[in-house]
Amino acid sequence: KFLPMALRHRLMADIDQALLELVFRILESAGPEASRMAVNMSNQSLGNKEFVRWFQSFLHRLGKLAGSLSFELTEYACAVDTPMAREFASSVRKCGARFGIDHFGLSPTALQTLRDVPPDYIKLGAALVSEAISDESARSVLRAIVQLARSLEVEVIAQGVETSAQIEMLLAVQVLAGQGYFFGAPGGL
């Protein structure tokens, strides 16, 4: 309920900035032992010139800590504004961070997005992972995504992994990383 309201009232830049400040404090206090963290960004924020200026200074301020971060956009955000997504990916990589595409494989244009905005990794949408267990056409789509990602040297991570049957199917199509309740409940900041 909260995020759709924030989007409607154009507050995502403020939310993303507050979250990134919190992430910076966590990384700064952890020092060299900092765990890798992934931060989802809003395309609404990236369309805000003031936020983009702040974000560039934030990346500069991170210094070597940037290597502990991954920044993610949804597949939808990448497809809606491909030039913005490419520019964002380039800016985070220049600072040593990684770029990923979240909720991947849900759109008919997913493979085109993978070529247009090459990420360091993709996170397969939980719906695709769930469907691929019992639907051969979904499994074929999953195989095609994995093959293209591997050819582009893009890591593939499955979301919503909840059963051993999903694990077996994912391993069969060469998805070697996952997240979901099968591995444990999500943690928070």
Side-chain angles (χ1 to χ4, degrees), residues 146-159:
V146 171
Q147 286 175 339
L148 179 58
R150 288 176 58 106
S151 75
L152 297 172
E153 298 181 2
V154 173
E155 179 183 2
V156 179
I157 303 165
Q159 291 180 302

Side-chain angles (χ1 to χ4, degrees), residues 38-110:
V39 180
N40 287 68
M41 300 293 295
S42 164
N43 59 334
Q44 187 181 93
S45 297
L46 299 178
N48 178 318
K49 290 179 183 177
E50 187 177 312
F51 176 84
V52 171
R53 279 192 296 276
W54 176 87
F55 184 71
Q56 294 299 326
S57 69
F58 169 78
L59 287 175
H60 180 72
R61 194 173 85 190
L62 278 174
K64 290 182 181 182
L65 293 175
S68 297
L69 285 177
S70 297
F71 293 95
E72 300 174 359
L73 291 174
T74 64
E75 177 189 341
Y76 176 76
C78 292
V80 166
D81 194 340
T82 301
M84 177 270 310
R86 267 191 291 232
E87 187 175 323
F88 176 68
S90 175
S91 68
V92 300
R93 285 186 181 124
K94 282 179 188 170
C95 294
R98 293 178 63 192
F99 170 70
I101 301 178
D102 198 12
H103 302 296
F104 193 85
L106 304 176
S107 164
T109 61

